[in-house]
């Protein structure tokens, strides 16, 4: 059954169509910023790790969505993390080299697009503050290949189990 939309008499058909188009534009691609950032992260050397177990899903959700942050590895190195719950249901992870490459890519984009500046990643002090503010213990063993689910383990997917 088709939906019929009627315009108020004060608006012309063209104005009503334009208003409806602008309204729907925000609804059509909610994952677009995540997809664009995911592409940048991949090109910089970050690796996407799917949150396909309940433990991984919980850790992904403990991170600020769509924002870069870091956690310290057991070896004492910063591992930069980007939680992407909408586009891939994964956490992108990268080392210092990947982070430096990402910053260079972002600077190149800013120079090419003078009028449109992409959202900047938080500076390192803001990431450090977020790291101290988050009280969830980060368990690196959850992300190891040995923790991958087999056929007998429940796997978590965005919105439910499969």
């Amino acid at each position: 059954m088709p939906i019929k939309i009627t315009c108020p008499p004060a608006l012309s058909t063209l104005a009503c169509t334009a208003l409806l188009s602008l309204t729907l534009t925000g609804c059509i691609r909610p994952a677009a910023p995540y997809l664009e950032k995911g592409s940048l992260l991949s090109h910089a050397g970050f690796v996407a790790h799917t949150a396909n177990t309940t433990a991984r899903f919980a850790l992904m959700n403990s991170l600020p969505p769509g924002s870069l942050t870091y956690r310290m590895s057991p070896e004492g190195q910063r591992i930069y993390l980007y939680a992407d719950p909408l586009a891939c249901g994964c956490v992108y992870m990268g080392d210092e080299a990947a982070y430096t490459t990402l910053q260079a890519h972002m600077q190149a984009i800013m120079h090419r697009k003078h009028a449109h500046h992409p959202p900047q990643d938080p500076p390192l002090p803001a990431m450090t503050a977020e790291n101290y503010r988050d009280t969830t213990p980060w368990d690196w063993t959850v992300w190891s290949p040995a923790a991958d689910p087999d056929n007998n383990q429940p796997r978590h997917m965005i919105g439910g189990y499969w």
Side-chain angles (χ1 to χ4, degrees), residues 56-69:
R56 289 176 182 176
F57 187 77
L59 283 175
M60 177 186 69
N61 284 331
S62 74
L63 297 171
S67 183
L68 200 62
T69 190

Side-chain angles (χ1 to χ4, degrees), residues 1 9 11 19 32 42 46 53-54 56 59 75 81 98 100 108 122-123 144:
M1 179 177 198
L11 288 176
L19 182 63
S42 294
F46 283 73
T53 66
T54 51
R56 289 176 182 176
L59 283 175
E75 296 82 26
L81 306 167
T100 303
S144 74

Side-chain angles (χ1 to χ4, degrees), residues 25-93:
T25 301
C27 301
I28 293 173
R29 299 187 53 200
Y34 289 94
L35 291 169
E36 291 168 10
K37 186 68 171 202
S39 177
L40 276 173
L41 290 166
S42 294
H43 282 82
F46 283 73
V47 177
H49 296 273
T50 306
N52 57 356
T53 66
T54 51
R56 289 176 182 176
F57 187 77
L59 283 175
M60 177 186 69
N61 284 331
S62 74
L63 297 171
S67 183
L68 200 62
T69 190
Y70 73 87
R71 297 292 182 265
M72 298 304 285
S73 73
E75 296 82 26
Q77 304 295 319
R78 279 191 200 113
I79 302 296
Y80 293 91
L81 306 167
Y82 179 86
D84 182 351
L86 290 180
C88 71
C90 65
V91 175
Y92 288 90
M93 298 182 190

